[in-house]
Amino acid sequence: MNLEQYRDMFGEEISVRAPDGAVQAWSLQVSMNGHGDWRVRLSDSGDGEWEGDGHDVFDAFAVARSEPESRGFRFLVVGARPDCWPSGMRSQMDGGLQVYVHYNSALQRLIHDLADVFSRRGLLRYVFAPAPISKVGTAQEQAAFRKRWKMRIL
C-alpha cells in the first residue's frame, strides 16, 4: 500500500513501559485510506518507528505493537488489555476505536457491572485510554484470551 494513499486522521501520545521499567511517551498516528484500510504508526522518543495495517484501528494497533512487545515494551492503553477488543459492529461503526471489556465468568461480569453502574462507566472503552501495567498484555496474549473466551461461549 502506498503511503500517499493514507490521510492522517489523528495523532496523540500514549504511555509505554520500557523493558527497564521506565515509562515513556510515544507518538501514535492513525490514518485511513480511501479503501477503508487503517494504519497505526508508533514512534518512540528515538529513531524507532513501527507501523501496522488492519481492517480497523484495533487490528492495526495489534500489528504495530507486536515487534516492540517482543523486545519487552508494554503499551499502557486499554487496547493492549488481553480482555478487550471491539465487536464486529463496533469495528464497522467507529473503526475499532472503542473496545468492549470481556469477562471470564458471570460473577466477574456482575461485580464489574455493579461497579460500572456506580461509576457511570459502561463496558465500552476508548482503545487508547490509559490502562495500568497490571491490566495490559501482549498482542499474542490478547489473541489467546480471545480464543479461550470464544470457546467458552460456544
Side-chain angles (χ1 to χ4, degrees), residues 48-60:
E49 189 170 289
W50 301 269
E51 294 180 343
D53 293 327
H55 72 278
D56 63 18
V57 173
F58 178 81
D59 284 341

Side-chain angles (χ1 to χ4, degrees), residues 2 20 29-30 49 52-53 55 59-60 66 73-74 81 92-93 95-96 101 110 116 134 152-154:
N2 185 331
D20 66 4
Q29 293 288 323
V30 175
E49 189 170 289
D53 293 327
H55 72 278
D59 284 341
S66 292
F73 290 93
R74 293 297 175 263
R81 286 179 54 167
Q92 291 175 357
M93 288 172 46
V101 178
L110 176 63
D116 288 343
S134 63
R152 176 190 63 84
I153 62 172
L154 292 178

Side-chain angles (χ1 to χ4, degrees), residues 100-144:
Y100 287 96
V101 178
H102 300 274
Y103 299 108
N104 278 323
S105 69
L107 177 60
Q108 189 180 31
R109 168 91 188 245
L110 176 63
I111 291 167
H112 283 89
D113 283 349
L114 289 172
D116 288 343
V117 166
F118 292 110
S119 69
R120 296 179 183 238
R121 188 173 75 176
L123 291 177
L124 274 177
R125 306 283 191 275
Y126 174 55
V127 70
F128 300 121
I133 188 65
S134 63
K135 296 274 188 178
V136 300
T138 66
Q140 289 179 326
E141 291 168 339
Q142 199 169 43

